[in-house]
Amino acid sequence: MYNELNQLQQLCYDTYFGKVSKYSAGEAEDVIRKAFLDELPALPKRKAEMERYLKNNAKQLFALFEENITPIANRLTLEAFSDLVKVDTIDLGDAPVYRVKNKKLFPVSQIATGVGATHRRRMHDSKLETDSFTLTAFIYEEAFEFLTGKISWTDLCNRVAESFAHKIATLVTSTIFAAYDNSGNPFHVQTNAEGLETALEDLLQRVEGATGVKCQILGTKGALAKVPNSGGAYLQEDARDRRDFGYVKIFDSNECRELPQYYDEDNKKFEIPTDTLLVVPAVGEPLAYCCLEGDIRVLDNDNIYNRKDRQIEFEMERQLHVGVAISSKFGMVKITA
């Protein structure tokens, strides 16, 4: 994914992740900024003139942002999932199709078609198809601050690349939860906090017995915090885990793993359930397939400058494909008050 970067892309990538060897961190920032400025006319001396400057030079500037932020966003998306989700990148216009090896365990595909909306589609010949949709983000001011040396390349990327990577991770996680069918499902359990220990132990045995595979417990930090301590000789270790991570890392010899969370400020609620745990095989098929289509794109549209406060703003978007293979041997625990 990263072995075809040009010289500037590689420097931007290495600078963000702290792997620059040829320059110091400060020198690398200066080289990146100079490379951007070498492609553009001289910057205006007054910030008030930046709006017209961006309008006149948007195509060159936006192309530089697209080319150099995309590899960083790709890497951050990969790191958000580890081995739980298969993440790929493809050229714009391509359509990814994944082949699921175990048809018995994964009979149905769940496709994300937009934020908060999903629909199901039967697999054919073990193929899991994906539908695409678009994520967008807005940034303003940072472009001017970066070009004039007031903020670093890392600061700029934190606003853009991390925003995309975090939202993608959250969206994939929410799709996994939405994909679960608890109607008549023998691997769906509801319990209160007092009964969670017994319910988890029983569900782990059932899923492991059905799949023949060691399982892991997945959930947001809020959900994992409800998993009880093992007690006995492990009590001190569990206490250390709760101090360091907010939840125990091991329950009944099964690993607990944190899923990304997102807080919706507008609706004042968490996007991923904080009262639900998943019990899934620790090895085998990925929980989901995520494919990033093309580069991050900066939209060249005059309307994006029409903020009432006259701040400089431009919109960035990313094309995303998500598919979730639904396992018939997939446990879920709903924790009631």
Side-chain angles (χ1 to χ4, degrees), residues 89-319:
T89 59
I90 57 174
D91 264 339
L92 190 65
D94 290 350
V97 177
Y98 296 98
R99 186 174 295 276
V100 177
K101 297 177 182 178
N102 193 330
K103 290 186 291 185
K104 181 179 179 181
L105 291 184
F106 297 85
V108 179
S109 66
Q110 182 84 15
I111 310 299
T113 58
V115 178
T118 57
H119 74 266
R120 294 187 175 185
R121 176 187 298 169
R122 290 284 175 181
M123 283 195 299
H124 298 285
D125 191 28
S126 304
K127 291 181 179 179
L128 171 62
E129 297 183 0
T130 63
D131 289 346
S132 69
F133 55 96
T134 302
L135 296 177
T136 60
F138 291 92
I139 67 172
Y140 55 89
E141 294 289 339
E142 284 85 349
F144 181 85
E145 302 293 324
F146 166 68
L147 291 176
T148 56
K150 294 180 180 177
I151 66 171
S152 69
W153 172 250
T154 298
D155 291 334
L156 179 65
C157 289
N158 284 345
R159 182 64 185 266
V160 180
E162 286 191 0
S163 295
F164 274 108
H166 183 68
K167 184 58 181 176
I168 290 169
T170 306
L171 181 59
V172 172
T173 302
S174 63
T175 304
I176 292 171
F177 277 90
Y180 193 84
D181 184 6
N182 59 21
S183 178
N185 191 326
F187 301 105
H188 180 266
V189 178
Q190 185 166 308
T191 182
N192 57 24
E194 289 75 18
L196 180 57
E197 182 174 5
T198 301
L200 259 181
E201 290 173 346
D202 178 68
L203 185 58
L204 284 163
Q205 290 179 34
R206 276 189 273 164
V207 177
E208 289 180 5
T211 61
V213 175
K214 187 77 173 176
C215 287
Q216 56 191 331
I217 302 167
L218 309 180
T220 62
K221 180 177 289 188
L224 290 174
K226 297 176 173 64
V227 176
N229 296 336
S230 299
Y234 300 101
L235 189 58
Q236 187 174 359
E237 187 175 340
D238 286 349
R240 188 164 50 248
D241 285 345
R242 287 194 184 279
R243 180 198 64 191
D244 295 342
F245 305 103
Y247 56 90
V248 298
K249 299 290 284 185
I250 301 291
F251 173 80
D252 198 25
S253 78
N254 299 91
E255 183 182 8
C256 298
R257 299 184 62 177
E258 185 178 343
L259 295 172
Q261 178 62 283
Y262 177 77
Y263 183 72
D264 187 336
E265 294 183 50
D266 293 332
N267 295 313
K268 296 180 173 57
K269 66 176 185 178
F270 288 107
E271 194 162 313
I272 311 301
T274 59
D275 60 355
T276 305
L277 297 167
L278 304 180
V279 174
V280 302
V283 295
E285 299 286 349
L287 282 180
Y289 298 83
C290 173
C291 190
L292 306 169
E293 180 185 344
D295 291 346
I296 290 175
R297 297 187 299 280
V298 181
L299 304 184
D300 186 7
N301 185 331
D302 284 343
N303 292 332
I304 61 182
Y305 303 106
N306 292 335
R307 288 174 57 99
K308 292 181 179 180
D309 57 11
R310 307 306 296 165
Q311 283 184 314
I312 303 161
E313 178 180 272
F314 51 94
E315 183 179 3
M316 310 186 85
E317 69 174 21
R318 192 79 199 265
Q319 202 73 11

